[in-house]
Amino acid sequence: MINNDAKIINGIKHSKNLTDKIKELVLKSESLNKRKPSIVVILIGKNSASEIYVKNKIKIAENIGIISKKISYPSSISEKELLNKIKDLNKQNDIDGILVQLPLPMHISEDNVILSIDPKKDVDGFHPINLGNLFLGNNNGMIPCTPLGCIYMLKKELGSLNGLNATIVGRSNIVGKPMQSLLLKENCTTAITHSKSRNLSEFTLKADILIVAIGIAEFIDNNYVKDEATIIDVGINRKKINDKIKILGDVNFNDVINKVNLITPVPGGVGPMTIACLMYNTVKASFLRNNHEFKEIIFDE
Ligand code: NAP
């Protein structure tokens, strides 16, 4: 009988392993800079999901020795006021990372906010300079946390990704597009698909690695999956089932499990890695901003 547990990519275990290494980097950074690395998280308005995400980020930062500060604003804050605050944080030398929790209220432009953050402090990796560096194939800048966590797990689980076919479902700027750049850098042959793609399964059925980030609960079933594929399910969908809120991925886990080589569960897969990679980017920023050499541990091990 096949042991399905052996097919699960345990994001909690991977994030713990990475966090242990980040703790060592935090100590090294502290001894070089004579202060701990630090991050400021800005939360605007009341959004229960965002509040939970920010709380988790602050808690994990504190656990690993990164100084963290939350700044909350009501949703009525003007764009100008927010941009002025970011300008001010950009100038403060003892702040390594600035993160503005998305989504933002309608009257504030996400693009203007992202552009206002100093790229060296952009620990989300969404600034065009950081995305541009990634597109050009270098790892010197900040890399968006979710795709960074996905590539870390893929490399740990599969070793070399050289020559594998990778299909990404979803082309967002924060997941799908940076994921493609990272997979290309690992010498995968990549395809990126979206809501207008014709014959989606033609692409997904070729995938040795299938990354799904669309935000539709259990959309991908076994008809989309090649035998022995490795699946990374990025989706987080909240669904009320029997009066209880359940978190579901974009992949129908029970339908595909017998077919796959490996798969990330939801929850417990990509989510914990995203936060670990935010910590990684913060400590990386604390080295690079102060002109210290930083040895990349996600790609070079
Ligand atoms: P997004 O910005 O809404 O983008 C969704 C993408 O999916 C778009 O490119 C869209 O195509 C595509 N799409 C929608 N329906 C499709 C369909 N039927 N077939 C093929 N493609 C389709 O979403 P996102 O921000 O990337 O997030 C995606 C999911 O990942 C969400 O559930 C989100 O909560 C989750 N997420 C999780 C983490 C984590 O840490 N685990 C982090 C980030 C996001 P078009 O471009 O044509 O509209």
Side-chain angles (χ1 to χ4, degrees), residues 146 170-172 174-175 194-195 213-216 219 234-236 270 274:
T146 299
R171 58 174 162 179
S172 70
I174 66 170
V175 186
H194 46 78
S195 70
I214 55 176
I216 306 175
F219 180 88
V234 180
I236 300 177
V270 174
T274 297

Side-chain angles (χ1 to χ4, degrees), residues 222-242:
N222 85 73
N223 295 310
Y224 288 91
V225 175
K226 177 183 164 181
D227 278 334
E228 292 299 308
T230 294
I231 300 187
I232 303 287
D233 185 355
V234 180
I236 300 177
N237 307 287
R238 288 174 177 77
K239 223 176 174 177
K240 207 170 190 178
I241 299 170
N242 297 334

Side-chain angles (χ1 to χ4, degrees), residues 174-189:
I174 66 170
V175 186
K177 286 178 194 158
M179 192 74 240
Q180 186 178 36
S181 294
L182 288 169
L183 288 162
L184 269 178
K185 192 147 195 296
E186 296 301 323
N187 297 320
C188 290
T189 304

Side-chain angles (χ1 to χ4, degrees), residues 16-237:
K16 189 174 175 322
N17 288 344
L18 180 59
T19 303
D20 286 345
K21 291 180 196 145
I22 298 171
K23 281 182 187 161
E24 290 168 21
L25 290 172
V26 168
L27 293 176
K28 195 169 169 204
S29 166
E30 193 178 353
S31 103
L32 288 168
N33 295 332
K34 310 293 173 232
R35 62 168 180 82
K36 290 176 191 278
S38 67
I39 181 171
V40 170
V41 182
I42 301 179
L43 177 64
I44 296 154
K46 292 241 168 281
N47 172 325
S48 51
S50 293
E51 277 170 27
I52 294 169
Y53 292 143
V54 169
K55 202 171 147 197
N56 284 341
K57 286 168 186 172
I58 301 272
K59 194 174 119 199
I60 291 174
E62 278 168 5
N63 279 347
I64 62 177
I66 291 176
I67 293 178
S68 60
K69 187 178 171 195
K70 177 175 105 172
I71 301 178
S72 299
Y73 289 114
S75 54
S76 58
I77 187 177
S78 69
E79 182 176 306
K80 195 170 169 210
E81 214 180 321
L82 177 61
L83 296 186
N84 280 338
K85 181 65 194 175
I86 294 170
K87 224 190 246 172
D88 186 39
L89 294 170
N90 282 341
K91 284 191 212 139
Q92 292 183 31
N93 200 33
D94 58 345
I95 292 172
D96 297 303
I98 301 170
L99 182 152
V100 180
Q101 185 67 45
L102 303 177
L104 297 171
M106 293 288 277
H107 65 280
I108 300 178
S109 152
E110 210 170 280
D111 284 351
N112 289 347
V113 169
I114 290 170
L115 275 172
S116 74
I117 298 172
D118 176 350
K120 292 194 172 97
K121 295 190 178 189
D122 167 39
V123 283
D124 253 341
F126 297 162
H127 192 287
I129 287 188
N130 284 320
L131 287 174
N133 272 325
L134 178 61
F135 188 77
L136 295 174
N138 82 57
N139 298 333
N140 300 336
M142 297 293 138
I143 297 171
C145 306
T146 299
L148 186 59
C150 296
I151 208 82
Y152 176 87
M153 290 193 287
L154 283 168
K155 283 173 68 73
K156 288 284 171 209
E157 295 282 344
L158 299 178
S160 167
L161 310 182
N162 221 350
L164 295 177
N165 283 344
T167 299
I168 303 151
V169 190
R171 58 174 162 179
S172 70
N173 291 340
I174 66 170
V175 186
K177 286 178 194 158
M179 192 74 240
Q180 186 178 36
S181 294
L182 288 169
L183 288 162
L184 269 178
K185 192 147 195 296
E186 296 301 323
N187 297 320
C188 290
T189 304
T190 64
I192 187 158
T193 62
H194 46 78
S195 70
K196 310 290 185 295
S197 297
R198 293 185 190 162
N199 304 322
L200 180 63
S201 61
E202 233 174 66
F203 297 90
T204 60
L205 284 169
K206 286 196 183 119
D208 303 306
I209 297 171
L210 180 62
I211 315 270
V212 191
I214 55 176
I216 306 175
E218 300 188 326
F219 180 88
I220 294 291
D221 62 20
N222 85 73
N223 295 310
Y224 288 91
V225 175
K226 177 183 164 181
D227 278 334
E228 292 299 308
T230 294
I231 300 187
I232 303 287
D233 185 355
V234 180
I236 300 177
N237 307 287

